[in-house]
């Protein structure tokens, strides 16, 4: 009888331990919205390959400009043509996928002129894409899971104010950032230092000094710098094909899984892989090749 009691206690302890362990498992984030040949948002999520989808981009905002989406031909926001994406977004979320709106990009017209401007942009984002209320929501009535900062132009000023203002609306709102791999990032360092960012998917491409070039030495050195930042989780951002990053950084799937992932997965902040972008991934099958190892 005693042995049965001891066995029961051990089993109960194991069950309680398993319930207390963190539930997060590493995943893949993808950017969608910049090529009509990438397929629909619903099709993207239906692959089962992604845990995060960044809708790219809100490319115009701030400094008194009228905010504007650029989804590269998927729909025309000027005639409310993108509101139908609400169904796609809800479909993705129904599969447990977090859908974020990405701000900026490499070819946008955006800036923040002051802390007050940042607060106004935060209010616009909250009311038009997140949990607030607006009579004109560009993506329909779906409530996005968060905001991604892909800031590649202008100064590094006031992005910290924007991050703080968004979190004041809802502390559980997901904030992501996509800095370049040279550490610290010229545009987003002050924002990341706030500690408000849940996911930081670092762009380890188009930056020869910290991307994979014949070996992973420079990449791993930069990775270690990024994991020392206040980011809650750090993702390795990679192009899905050589064409997706003209200045380099593509890592063949077999090299990634054998030479890079074993080194970075030991980090307590490792969150997974970010892929640029859905079109290149669809063409090249990159996420299919790596998802079992992420």
């Amino acid at each position: 009888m005693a042995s049965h009691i001891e066995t029961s206690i051990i089993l109960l302890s194991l069950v309680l331990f398993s319930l207390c362990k963190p539930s997060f498992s590493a995943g893949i984030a993808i950017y969608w919205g910049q090529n009509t040949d990438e397929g629909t948002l619903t099709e993207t999520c239906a692959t089962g390959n992604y845990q995060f989808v960044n809708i790219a981009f809100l490319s115009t905002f701030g400094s008194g400009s009228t905010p504007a989406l650029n989804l590269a031909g998927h729909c025309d926001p000027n005639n409310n043509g993108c509101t139908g994406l609400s169904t796609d977004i809800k479909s993705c979320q129904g599969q447990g996928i977090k859908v974020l709106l990405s701000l900026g990009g490499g070819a946008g017209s955006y800036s923040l002129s002051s802390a007050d401007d940042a607060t106004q942009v935060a209010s616009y984002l909250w009311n038009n894409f997140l949990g607030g209320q607006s009579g004109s929501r560009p993506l329909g009535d779906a409530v996005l899971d968060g905001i991604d900062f892909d800031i590649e132009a202008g100064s590094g000023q006031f992005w910290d104010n924007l991050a703080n203002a968004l979190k004041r609306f809802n502390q559980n709102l997901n904030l992501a950032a996509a800095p370049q791999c040279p550490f610290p990032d010229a545009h987003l360092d002050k924002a990341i230092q706030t500690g408000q960012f849940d996911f930081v998917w670092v762009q380890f491409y188009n930056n020869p000094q910290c991307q994979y070039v014949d070996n992973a030495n420079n990449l791993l050195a930069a990775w270690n710098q990024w994991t020392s930042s206040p980011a809650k989780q750090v993702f390795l951002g990679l192009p899905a094909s050589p064409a997706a990053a003209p200045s380099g950084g593509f890592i063949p799937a077999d090299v990634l899984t054998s030479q890079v992932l074993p080194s970075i997965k030991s980090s307590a902040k490792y969150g997974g892989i970010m892929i640029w972008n859905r079109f290149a991934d669809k063409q090249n099958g990159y996420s299919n090749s790596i998802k079992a190892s992420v």
Side-chain angles (χ1 to χ4, degrees), residues 194-240:
T194 65
Q196 299 282 28
F197 286 84
D198 304 282
F199 315 112
V200 174
W201 17 76
V202 185
Q203 298 184 44
F204 283 89
Y205 50 94
N206 293 334
N207 288 283
Q209 66 269 48
C210 49
Q211 68 195 26
Y212 186 96
V213 182
D214 298 326
N215 62 67
N217 294 342
N218 291 343
L219 182 152
L220 293 175
W223 171 267
N224 289 334
Q225 289 180 304
W226 279 105
T227 56
S228 70
S229 76
K232 293 180 178 69
Q233 291 173 345
V234 180
F235 287 62
L236 182 72
L238 298 172

Side-chain angles (χ1 to χ4, degrees), residues 145-202:
D145 296 291
I147 300 293
D148 170 58
F149 290 48
D150 184 9
I151 307 304
E152 303 182 31
S155 75
Q157 289 188 296
F158 310 118
W159 301 111
D160 55 329
N161 298 98
L162 179 58
N164 286 328
L166 285 167
K167 282 288 191 175
R168 282 196 293 271
F169 281 111
N170 183 352
Q171 192 60 39
N172 293 321
L173 182 71
N174 290 285
L175 289 188
Q180 307 293 308
C181 59
F183 184 88
D185 183 74
H187 299 102
L188 287 169
D189 179 56
K190 193 173 181 181
I192 292 170
Q193 291 300 322
T194 65
Q196 299 282 28
F197 286 84
D198 304 282
F199 315 112
V200 174
W201 17 76
V202 185

Side-chain angles (χ1 to χ4, degrees), residues 13-210:
S13 299
L14 290 172
V15 169
L16 292 173
F17 176 74
S18 66
L19 291 174
C20 293
K21 288 194 302 182
S23 59
F24 177 81
S25 58
I28 297 175
I30 193 77
Y31 280 84
W32 176 92
Q34 287 301 293
N35 193 307
T36 53
D37 291 332
E38 66 196 339
T40 68
L41 184 57
T42 293
E43 290 168 349
T44 297
C45 292
T47 64
N49 288 359
Y50 315 117
Q51 284 68 49
F52 306 88
V53 176
N54 296 306
I55 297 178
F57 291 102
L58 185 73
S59 58
T60 300
F61 62 90
S63 298
S65 62
T66 300
L69 281 170
N70 177 1
L71 298 182
H74 278 287
C75 54
D76 184 358
N78 295 316
N79 61 10
N80 293 322
C82 297
T83 57
L85 285 174
S86 182
T87 300
D88 299 57
I89 292 165
K90 292 175 183 177
S91 173
C92 295
Q93 292 171 328
Q95 299 167 63
I97 298 167
K98 293 184 183 298
V99 183
L100 290 77
L101 174 67
S102 187
L103 309 181
S109 175
Y110 53 88
S111 63
L112 296 174
S113 59
S114 65
D116 182 61
D117 187 27
T119 300
Q120 292 181 42
V121 170
S123 295
Y124 169 79
L125 294 171
W126 176 255
N127 288 316
N128 286 275
F129 298 99
L130 302 167
Q133 296 296 321
S134 169
S136 176
R137 292 175 66 93
L139 298 178
D141 63 356
V143 176
L144 297 180
D145 296 291
I147 300 293
D148 170 58
F149 290 48
D150 184 9
I151 307 304
E152 303 182 31
S155 75
Q157 289 188 296
F158 310 118
W159 301 111
D160 55 329
N161 298 98
L162 179 58
N164 286 328
L166 285 167
K167 282 288 191 175
R168 282 196 293 271
F169 281 111
N170 183 352
Q171 192 60 39
N172 293 321
L173 182 71
N174 290 285
L175 289 188
Q180 307 293 308
C181 59
F183 184 88
D185 183 74
H187 299 102
L188 287 169
D189 179 56
K190 193 173 181 181
I192 292 170
Q193 291 300 322
T194 65
Q196 299 282 28
F197 286 84
D198 304 282
F199 315 112
V200 174
W201 17 76
V202 185
Q203 298 184 44
F204 283 89
Y205 50 94
N206 293 334
N207 288 283
Q209 66 269 48
C210 49

